[in-house]
Amino acid sequence: MPSPVSADRSAAQPPGRGSVEALITQTRRLKGDMVAVRRDTRNDGSDPEERWQRALYDLALHQLDDLDAHLAQLRDGPVPAEAEPAEAPAVRPAPDGATPGSLLSRVGSAEWNFLTDEASWSGELYEILGRDPAAPALTLDELPSVVLDEDRPKLTALVTDCLVDARPIDGEFRVVRPDGSTRTVHMMGEPVLGPDGGTTSMWAVLRDVSELRRHRRTVRDRQDSLQHQRRSAQTEHRLAAELQEAVLPPWRGSLRLPHQGPRTLDLAAHHLPAPGTLVGGDWYDALELADGATLLSVGDLTGHGVAVTSGMAMLLGAVRGMAMAGTRPGELLAMLNQLLDATVQPALGSAVCCHYRPEDRTLVWAQAGHPAPLLYRDGTGRPLNAPDGVLLGATTGAAYGQAEVTLEPGDLVLLHTDGLAPGHSSTSAMDRLLDLAPRFGAARTAQDCVRTVVEEFGGAEREDDACVLVARVTG
């Protein structure tokens, strides 16, 4: 409604209907665009960011609905209380897309005349406060009786500042309707001054902002929830990364195993983290055994986070313990399968375990649903023929076969986990790794080969982390 700027309220002229109609048209066009954008957002509740964005869309749409309704009131003018039948208050047609009586009733007006002690309310204000239009309007002295106890000081301060200091009114308070429901009302108004400068009356526009405040609380609550989840995710990522760093072998660069004898393996490995905050259960390991042999292993426990990293640490510890006890690769994987099957939280994993005897350069290995080792010899590469072996934790009592291959001086064996290539395509990763054979042939050390792999795959948009381990026969 138009805002009077002097004691003569009739002097204020409303804007032209054509300009208001143009604003209404623009508002509804914007609402349509907003609805289309909102419809494109997911609503499966899986992503906190999406839930927060959807809440913002809902709030924006609600505000546009209010703007549409207020413009319609500006166009049509206020409905005086005396124009409405007491037994059935009139409800004007709502704008397109609005529920009749739900939007246009959110803004009402009132005037309190201090010279005559009269109060005048619009029909909408009666609706907002849930009062009978046939009842007399409440005076300023009576108005606090419908305001929530803790909000009465706010109303008193607003009215006092307006009457005594001629300040404009702009504030909110909550009212209790006769049916016991509570509504939040935003009040804006000004004093009307007489010739002597004294306040003769006060007019105000009162807006029911209950739904708008509810939508803002929803946005705030979802934003708080999103921030909490982000902080929790950051903490979990830090803990998982620290645990992974503590468990994986501390050696960097090349490692020679066994330490005794001329026929050693030149070893190097690298962990390629996934982008973002995902920390998975991938591991690599090289361990010198009591009989002078070397254990090589890589594996991957499905999932991400602290629980998965803890499970990976458990598996890696079991691998080391059983290998030091002389357990062969096939039997070792069978025991790992039993271990996963017996855990409180079932999980799936894959692994390759290799036992290298330097005296005869024999590599005995087994796999559990994992990519086979790649053997590079004389400038070409090929995957080794894999023995039988299902994923760890997939079935109870699974048996795992073993395969054996004799290596030659200069041979290079590469073990890796899934996740090197985008989309978890193990075939694509294997093909790209085999294509690196000429560069591996020109490399002087296992560490040079690992650098080549990192150059090839380090910048990939992987969905998971990955590990690579290179063993080069030196004698």
Side-chain angles (χ1 to χ4, degrees), residues 89-368:
V91 176
R92 286 172 293 152
D96 294 344
T99 303
S102 65
L103 291 176
L104 297 183
S105 62
R106 288 181 183 156
V107 181
S109 61
E111 183 173 4
W112 291 274
N113 190 311
F114 304 129
L115 301 180
T116 63
D117 200 26
E118 293 178 340
S120 175
W121 286 6
S122 70
E124 290 87 356
L125 184 54
Y126 277 96
E127 273 196 71
I128 291 173
L129 300 183
R131 300 184 64 84
D132 183 356
L138 299 178
T139 66
L140 281 180
D141 290 334
E142 296 170 330
L143 186 61
S145 65
V146 300
V147 176
L148 213 60
D149 289 347
E150 53 263 41
D151 287 358
R152 287 176 185 172
K154 297 181 183 178
L155 176 62
T156 300
L158 289 173
V159 173
T160 300
D161 289 344
C162 181
L163 298 183
V164 177
D165 299 326
R167 295 181 183 177
I169 290 176
D170 188 353
E172 289 185 9
F173 50 87
R174 290 166 295 174
V175 298
V176 181
R177 294 158 55 104
D179 61 5
S181 62
T182 301
R183 308 296 292 176
T184 301
V185 175
H186 183 205
M187 184 176 181
M188 296 184 66
E190 292 180 358
V192 178
L193 305 180
D196 59 354
T199 302
T200 61
S201 64
M202 187 184 82
W203 69 269
V205 172
L206 294 94
R207 179 186 180 204
D208 184 350
V209 294
S210 305
E211 291 300 306
L212 184 60
R213 295 297 172 262
R214 183 181 66 81
H215 279 75
R216 286 183 176 174
R217 284 194 301 271
T218 299
V219 171
R220 184 174 61 251
D221 291 345
R222 292 185 177 180
Q223 187 173 19
D224 290 344
S225 175
L226 177 63
Q227 291 174 347
H228 174 72
Q229 292 181 19
R230 281 175 174 169
R231 288 193 295 268
S232 297
Q234 290 170 354
T235 300
E236 182 176 359
H237 174 262
R238 177 178 55 81
L239 292 175
E242 289 177 355
L243 179 58
Q244 186 182 63
E245 180 71 17
V247 171
L248 291 181
W251 45 275
R252 297 292 183 267
S254 291
L255 174 71
R256 289 183 176 270
L257 292 178
H259 293 294
Q260 304 297 326
R263 295 182 175 181
T264 62
L265 290 178
D266 176 20
L267 299 167
H270 190 79
H271 171 254
L272 290 84
T277 60
L278 298 177
V279 177
D282 289 55
W283 85 79
Y284 63 85
D285 197 21
L287 182 66
E288 183 177 358
L289 304 178
D291 60 0
T294 298
L295 171 74
L296 306 176
S297 68
V298 296
D300 179 13
L301 194 62
T302 57
H304 302 91
V306 174
V308 172
T309 311
S310 300
M312 177 269 288
M314 175 191 68
L315 286 184
L316 184 52
V319 168
R320 291 170 175 171
M322 287 187 286
M324 290 298 292
T327 307
R328 305 288 286 175
E331 184 181 0
L332 189 153
L333 291 180
M335 292 182 176
L336 286 184
N337 183 65
Q338 292 180 8
L339 180 61
L340 275 185
D341 190 47
T343 55
V344 176
Q345 295 181 337
L348 292 175
S350 67
V352 166
C353 288
C354 304
H355 183 273
Y356 177 71
R357 297 194 304 264
E359 61 270 15
D360 56 6
R361 302 192 190 92
T362 299
L363 185 76
V364 179
W365 68 283
Q367 64 85 25

